[in-house]
Amino acid sequence: MKLDLNEQPHRRYNILTGEWVLVSPHRTKRPWQGKQEKTVTDDRPFYDKACYLCPGNKRASGDINPNYTSVYSFKNDFSALLEDTPSTTIEDGLLVAKGEKGICKVVCFSPNHSLTLPLMPVPSIEDVITIWQKEFDELGAIRDINYVQIFENKGAVMGCSNPHPHGQIWSQNSIPQEVIKKGEQQLRYWQTNTKSLLGDYLNQEIKANERIIWQDKYFIAVVPYWAIWPYEVIIAPKRHLQRITDLTDKEKASFAKAIKVTTTKYDNLFETSFPYSSGIHQAPTNGLAYDEWHFHMSFYPPLLRSATVKKFMVGYEMFANPQRDITAEQAAQTLRSLSETHYLT
């Protein structure tokens, strides 16, 4: 009896982490009587005098923001990591701790308090990528900084503490767990095949053309086969690149377009300012080559059925492994069918 991936429960393997996700497509037929929320309107002014991130305003630290006119980055006033933390290890039987030093930055995408990435023109998103590249280079060059994590939490539901569109960059001494897992999987494949694991996967996606939501000559946006979140997307360069600093100007413009299209389709899906966490995974900055690494950007959005119904990691997901109902193919078909023009324009 042949397994029907669109109708029957099955597990899918994540080639980048070595982990599995349970897919239960038959559950999409179940009625929803769970939590419903009111739709939150995202009507913000160009400038908010009470916003800590708007140009010219005073931050909580007492520092005054310059009257910036484009992208603006600064050291986080409430950094999760500190530069002067001692790298001491404490061991007490089975209790082990080690000091972790690092530097955290905030990146304001625009001086406009209301302008999220999907509403920004592509050249302005290119400016954001340019700042990411600059910060990656400068932070990664610092002794004892071995990894630079670029990410964005969009929306209050994702824990964003300030509505002004911005992202963060955390750089640190150790290499984070998710990066280690992806690095190990890519290295194993590279050593066996002398080819990029993600590159070969993208070529297979291009041939299948089932989960792609956008592509051009340089970049591709795809709902990964092993997606956990309902409308999860990976954006990746078609060329085998270890870091965002390896991009040509044309590739950077393509990357910006991929971000613009993906986030616009997200907003268009339920006609709301779509929340998500996004992050870029790339090679560490500890001086090694990491030929196996293929950089990529992932989007993890929680919305499931509407602007008010979210996907939570609870129960089975907490105690066993991740699970999803709609298949990656269904999610991709939905996103692919949506306009690349924002519903507000």
Side-chain angles (χ1 to χ4, degrees):
M1 181 177 176
K2 186 177 178 181
L3 178 67
D4 187 341
L5 296 182
N6 291 312
E7 295 291 338
Q8 296 171 310
H10 59 278
R11 295 199 305 160
R12 297 193 183 191
Y13 182 65
N14 185 333
I15 60 170
L16 288 176
T17 64
E19 298 171 340
W20 294 82
V21 56
L22 174 65
V23 184
S24 309
H26 57 291
R27 278 165 54 92
T28 56
K29 301 179 178 70
R30 64 177 177 148
W32 180 261
Q33 291 182 308
K35 183 177 176 62
Q36 297 274 5
E37 299 175 357
K38 293 181 180 178
T39 303
V40 178
T41 56
D42 194 31
D43 186 18
R44 299 197 301 270
F46 181 94
Y47 168 78
D48 183 348
K49 64 180 180 180
C51 172
Y52 291 127
L53 300 183
C54 277
N57 287 0
K58 181 185 288 188
R59 301 203 303 270
S61 63
D63 293 336
I64 306 294
N65 294 326
N67 289 310
Y68 62 94
T69 58
S70 182
V71 190
Y72 170 54
S73 65
F74 62 92
K75 190 177 292 186
N76 197 321
D77 298 323
F78 299 96
S79 294
L81 297 161
L82 303 172
E83 294 178 73
D84 56 358
T85 303
S87 299
T88 308
T89 298
I90 298 175
E91 295 188 40
D92 180 12
L94 298 177
L95 311 179
V96 181
K98 189 179 187 301
E100 181 73 5
K101 64 175 61 177
I103 301 169
C104 297
K105 294 285 193 80
V106 174
V107 179
C108 297
F109 297 151
S110 166
N112 187 334
H113 185 74
S114 66
L115 210 58
T116 56
L117 287 174
L119 294 172
M120 292 170 62
V122 170
S124 295
I125 301 176
E126 285 186 66
D127 291 340
V128 174
I129 296 171
T130 299
I131 290 294
W132 287 344
Q133 292 173 317
K134 176 177 179 291
E135 292 289 358
F136 181 87
D137 254 349
E138 293 180 356
L139 292 168
I142 297 172
R143 184 180 178 182
D144 294 333
I145 295 297
N146 294 317
Y147 193 75
V148 179
Q149 181 61 64
I150 299 167
F151 66 97
E152 179 196 3
N153 293 322
K154 183 191 175 197
V157 69
M158 303 310 293
C160 185
S161 60
N162 188 303
H164 191 111
H166 70 283
Q168 297 187 57
I169 302 175
W170 291 13
S171 59
Q172 62 189 101
N173 178 250
S174 67
I175 299 174
Q177 297 278 43
E178 287 298 304
V179 180
I180 289 174
K181 286 189 292 187
K182 288 188 173 184
E184 289 174 345
Q185 292 290 107
Q186 291 179 96
L187 179 59
R188 188 176 297 114
Y189 192 86
W190 181 268
Q191 289 174 334
T192 303
N193 303 281
T194 325
K195 291 193 296 182
S196 162
L197 171 64
L198 188 56
D200 278 1
Y201 166 71
L202 295 178
N203 288 334
Q204 187 171 342
E205 285 288 14
I206 291 169
K207 289 179 182 178
N209 197 26
E210 288 184 280
R211 290 166 290 274
I212 297 171
I213 65 168
W214 177 89
Q215 66 173 321
D216 66 4
K217 182 179 178 180
Y218 305 104
F219 266 81
I220 185 170
V222 60
V223 177
Y225 183 74
W226 54 82
I228 292 174
W229 296 95
Y231 294 96
E232 182 176 330
V233 167
I234 282 181
I235 295 174
K238 292 182 176 178
R239 192 162 66 98
H240 180 53
L241 305 174
Q242 283 73 46
R243 304 169 180 89
I244 58 171
T245 48
D246 299 330
L247 292 168
T248 65
D249 288 343
K250 288 184 178 179
E251 286 170 331
K252 182 162 69 171
S254 174
F255 187 20
K257 175 70 172 178
I259 293 172
K260 168 81 172 178
V261 170
T262 299
T263 54
T264 296
K265 285 177 177 289
Y266 277 162
D267 279 12
N268 287 347
L269 180 58
F270 299 129
E271 295 194 348
T272 190
S273 186
F274 205 84
Y276 58 75
S277 279
S278 67
I280 298 174
H281 276 157
Q282 52 193 324
T285 59
N286 57 2
L288 302 179
Y290 291 103
D291 292 332
E292 71 278 7
W293 257 96
H294 192 128
F295 101 78
H296 53 282
M297 185 177 191
S298 296
F299 288 78
Y300 301 152
L303 297 188
L304 174 59
R305 293 170 178 252
S306 70
T308 66
V309 177
K310 302 177 182 67
K311 163 73 174 179
F312 293 98
M313 293 296 174
V314 295
Y316 182 85
E317 289 105 337
M318 284 179 144
F319 297 102
N321 64 242
Q323 181 271 342
R324 63 181 285 128
D325 292 348
I326 62 171
T327 65
E329 295 75 32
Q330 291 168 335
Q333 183 179 7
T334 299
L335 290 174
R336 190 167 51 244
S337 68
L338 296 168
S339 173
E340 294 181 13
T341 301
H342 200 278
Y343 74 95
L344 290 177
T345 60

